[in-house]
Amino acid sequence: MSQNIYPMGGQYEEYLTDESKYSGYADSISFPETSGEAAEILKELSDRKVSITIQGAKTGIVGAAIPKGGHILNLSHMNQVLDSWMEEDGTGRISVQPGINLIDLRKEINNLFRKNPQFWPVDPTETSASVGGIAASGAQGISRILYGKSEQYIESVSIMNYRGQTIKLRRGENRELSDTEQVDALELVLGKEGTTGIITELTLKLVPKPEAVWGIAFFFEEEGEAAKFVDDLKTGMPESGSAAIAAVEYIDRISLDLIESRKASMTKIKELPDIRPEVAAMIYTEIHGAEEGIEEIAEQLMETAMERGSDSEEAWAVSEEAEIEKLHVFRHAAAETVNLFIEEQHRVDGRITKLGMDMLSEGTFADVLEAFAEELAAAGLKGCIFGHAMENHLHVNILPETYEEYCRGVELVRRWALRIKNEQGALIGEHGVGKLKREILGDLLPDEYIEKCKKAKELFDAEDMLNRGNILEASY
Ligand SMILES: Cc1cc2nc3c(=O)[nH]c(=O)nc-3n(C[C@H](O)[C@H](O)[C@H](O)COP(=O)(O)OP(=O)(O)OC[C@H]3O[C@@H](n4cnc5c(N)ncnc54)[C@H](O)[C@@H]3O)c2cc1C
């Protein structure tokens, strides 16, 4: 065995689980630093017919990076910037290895584009996530309503197959998915959860940094009024010529309680004011653009929020970068504290894993929210609700205290999935399917989506040696 391939041992235990607490097993692991090293490792493993599970930063929440045997190819050491340049239209480009995480990527972009400040608008809130993992899992995040889908900001990728051979795929190139179907080349890789190949390099499209960013968090004593505030925005989004709303994020009281209970240990947010017990929900909004336009939109937002009973004196309104970051950390803590809760329950009963919704419902926000709250109560389950309000893209997380509650939670999530499917909503949001959701929701996933994933897999990994069991049933 090559000296870069290590037999699994206790020191690598952490690589057998991700943020979902789904767990697995493997025989060996490697940490290549370059494409050349990765190719060498693959050549050796493919000669021995060993299956591979690809890992980025393991922050995924559907068990997609978790092996069920074989070898773990962990790409966290492939984390360098390879090139950067400006295009004539004033937008930047950066080529990176896949293991670079969002924190380092942002630092590098700030350093490399001092003259024409740029940023990568993809923000799935988890800043330790790797760019390769984000691309493979189809992660989106909080500013999608302004900037659009994350795929738009990936211009090309190099992918390596099981035998260590690499090809480059560029946006705009067509590829045959079957005799009758052509797709954009990048569709064969982005969001395919590593089932079609190993991303070894990415060129990211950047955009000029907005002149200013404001974050405003509104607090509501009535959950229903908070929801109607969102519906007000849906019917009449505040506008100005030089700024726009980039994020509208909903956080319910149970999520706020989870955050408050851990706030003291979270350095970046421990100094934020406590939230009054009467508050039933918080809505975080973010505005990007020119200062003047932002002020115009902020005024309209304040007015609408006040009409829905939110006290403008109580709102948190910030514009300094460091203060905005605190509000991002606060919003992110809604997801993080659920994962910490699950981690504790998983320690008591290893069968308990994350059980969260990542689906887009149809209807008004108020109706969608009410339905989830009622169904949780009817099932006698505790759950918290947060997420991307403008698209009804809510993350409803079941908070089970026993395995029996977990099982009831699975039933409820399946009922929700069926309802959303019947209403023509979207069952696959931004976290991917991985192994965990395939096990829970596999039979409900849209046939057309599964067919596309199968065809893409057949094109690049017909032997099913890469990321077996993600999205598709393992073929062994
Ligand atoms: C607290 C919390 C909050 C989150 N909030 C959001 C959110 O708001 N929106 C959102 O979209 N996501 C969210 N996420 C999930 C986030 O999207 C994922 O964590 C991230 O996309 C995965 O990146 P990773 O590097 O950790 O990948 P991993 O977890 O290591 O892997 C994820 C998948 O990508 C594959 N993969 C990784 N690298 C490569 C590569 N180079 N080539 C091919 N395949 C690869 C893996 O095999 C696996 O299938 C959240 C996660 C956490 C923990």
Side-chain angles (χ1 to χ4, degrees):
M1 196 148 61
S2 128
Q3 56 178 6
N4 290 327
I5 299 176
Y6 308 104
M8 285 306 278
Q11 72 272 41
Y12 299 122
E13 191 79 27
E14 64 179 287
Y15 297 96
L16 296 176
T17 185
D18 67 0
E19 284 285 327
S20 67
K21 298 303 145 210
Y22 185 88
S23 52
Y25 48 92
D27 300 322
S28 60
I29 188 165
S30 62
F31 302 90
E33 292 184 8
T34 62
S35 297
E37 273 180 33
E40 286 301 312
I41 290 166
L42 282 160
K43 277 175 200 148
E44 178 172 338
L45 293 168
S46 57
D47 282 348
R48 292 199 272 122
K49 300 214 175 313
V50 176
S51 68
I52 312 278
T53 300
I54 311 155
Q55 283 185 349
K58 288 188 306 97
T59 70
I61 35 193
V62 291
I66 303 312
K68 290 288 182 191
H71 178 82
I72 300 172
L73 186 74
N74 182 294
L75 300 174
S76 57
H77 296 193
M78 282 179 68
N79 56 7
Q80 299 300 305
V81 170
L82 302 169
D83 198 4
S84 66
W85 65 96
M86 284 298 292
E87 292 284 337
E88 276 177 8
D89 66 359
T91 59
R93 298 289 183 277
I94 187 165
S95 286
V96 294
Q97 288 184 309
I100 189 166
N101 66 36
L102 272 183
I103 302 177
D104 290 340
L105 177 74
R106 287 174 185 163
K107 278 190 205 146
E108 294 281 0
I109 294 173
N110 286 343
N111 284 335
L112 291 163
F113 295 91
R114 281 180 196 280
K115 253 191 177 167
N116 296 292
Q118 302 281 311
F119 83 118
W120 196 48
V122 180
D123 184 8
T125 80
E126 175 55 59
T127 51
S128 63
S130 74
V131 171
I134 289 171
S137 57
Q140 300 294 332
I142 68 166
S143 1
R144 187 170 51 172
I145 53 172
L146 178 60
Y147 295 99
K149 290 190 153 195
S150 53
E151 296 87 292
Q152 286 169 235
Y153 300 95
I154 300 172
E155 224 168 57
S156 67
V157 296
S158 296
I159 60 161
M160 191 176 278
N161 68 13
Y162 180 55
R163 313 221 168 264
Q165 298 148 339
T166 301
I167 55 166
K168 190 160 184 161
L169 300 176
R170 294 179 185 79
R171 176 162 305 292
E173 281 173 6
N174 275 345
R175 290 263 162 167
E176 270 181 17
L177 190 59
S178 64
D179 292 347
T180 53
E181 210 176 344
Q182 297 242 331
V183 292
D184 188 283
L186 290 192
E187 254 195 64
L188 300 169
V189 180
L190 304 183
K192 296 296 178 288
E193 302 183 23
T195 55
T196 54
I198 301 144
I199 303 172
T200 53
E201 193 180 319
L202 305 96
T203 298
L204 308 179
K205 177 180 174 178
L206 311 179
V207 292
K209 262 192 177 176
E211 186 185 308
V213 174
W214 282 24
I216 312 177
F218 295 102
F219 299 93
F220 298 82
E221 289 189 6
E222 298 288 329
E223 211 169 65
E225 290 302 293
K228 284 180 189 153
F229 170 67
V230 173
D231 287 324
D232 291 341
L233 299 184
K234 283 192 194 177
T235 47
M237 193 70 153
E239 277 177 354
S240 88
S242 58
I245 294 182
V248 179
E249 293 290 304
Y250 176 84
I251 308 183
D252 79 346
R253 179 72 228 187
I254 297 177
S255 305
L256 292 174
D257 284 341
L258 280 174
I259 301 172
E260 294 278 279
S261 70
R262 305 215 184 233
K263 204 170 78 175
S265 62
M266 298 180 150
T267 323
K268 286 207 171 129
I269 59 171
K270 67 178 176 200
E271 274 151 25
L272 285 175
D274 290 339
I275 294 167
R276 284 186 300 119
E278 293 79 12
V279 167
M282 166 179 158
I283 293 184
Y284 174 67
T285 58
E286 196 166 291
I287 319 167
H288 292 196
E291 205 66 64
E292 230 178 64
I294 292 185
E295 277 176 34
E296 228 178 278
I297 289 180
E299 261 174 45
Q300 295 173 52
L301 275 178
M302 291 271 183
E303 236 170 70
T304 313
M306 267 164 59
E307 282 164 16
R308 292 291 174 197
S310 174
D311 179 357
S312 59
E313 298 287 309
E314 193 180 22
W316 298 345
V318 299
S319 57
E320 295 288 318
E321 209 170 316
E323 296 299 308
I324 299 272
E325 197 196 335
K326 277 187 199 165
L327 296 197
H328 278 199
V329 172
F330 189 89
R331 157 62 184 85
H332 179 63
E336 214 171 6
T337 50
V338 169
N339 295 352
L340 289 171
F341 174 90
I342 294 296
E343 193 174 333
E344 280 168 4
Q345 301 309 316
H346 179 77
R347 257 187 248 128
V348 178
D349 188 324
R351 294 170 296 180
I352 294 178
T353 61
K354 190 173 166 82
L355 192 49
M357 287 266 297
D358 175 33
M359 306 177 198
L360 284 73
S361 311
E362 290 296 303
T364 65
F365 188 68
D367 285 348
V368 168
L369 197 60
E370 200 183 339
F372 280 134
E374 279 178 8
E375 285 158 327
L376 270 169
L381 290 168
K382 190 172 172 189
C384 63
I385 306 180
F386 59 86
H388 317 308
M390 295 301 280
E391 297 151 307
N392 294 343
H393 187 173
L394 285 174
H395 300 303
V396 185
N397 280 273
I398 311 285
L399 301 169
E401 295 199 352
T402 61
Y403 183 61
E404 188 274 324
E405 285 187 2
Y406 175 82
C407 294
R408 264 191 289 138
V410 170
E411 286 306 308
L412 184 57
V413 169
R414 283 186 56 81
R415 279 207 298 281
W416 281 334
L418 194 59
R419 172 160 60 77
I420 291 171
K421 189 176 180 175
N422 289 337
E423 290 167 357
Q424 315 284 315
L427 289 195
I428 299 160
E430 57 188 356
H431 297 158
V433 174
K435 299 178 184 73
L436 187 54
K437 287 220 172 125
R438 188 183 51 70
E439 284 171 18
I440 294 175
L441 297 177
D443 56 323
L444 297 174
L445 296 174
D447 294 339
E448 195 191 337
Y449 170 74
I450 296 294
E451 264 320 294
K452 259 198 169 159
C453 292
K454 263 189 197 155
K455 284 178 185 163
K457 176 100 180 153
E458 273 159 25
L459 279 183
F460 290 108
D461 183 37
E463 294 163 281
D464 194 17
M465 297 309 275
L466 298 172
N467 277 10
R468 272 180 186 171
N470 280 357
I471 310 173
L472 308 168
E473 198 82 47
S475 66
Y476 60 99

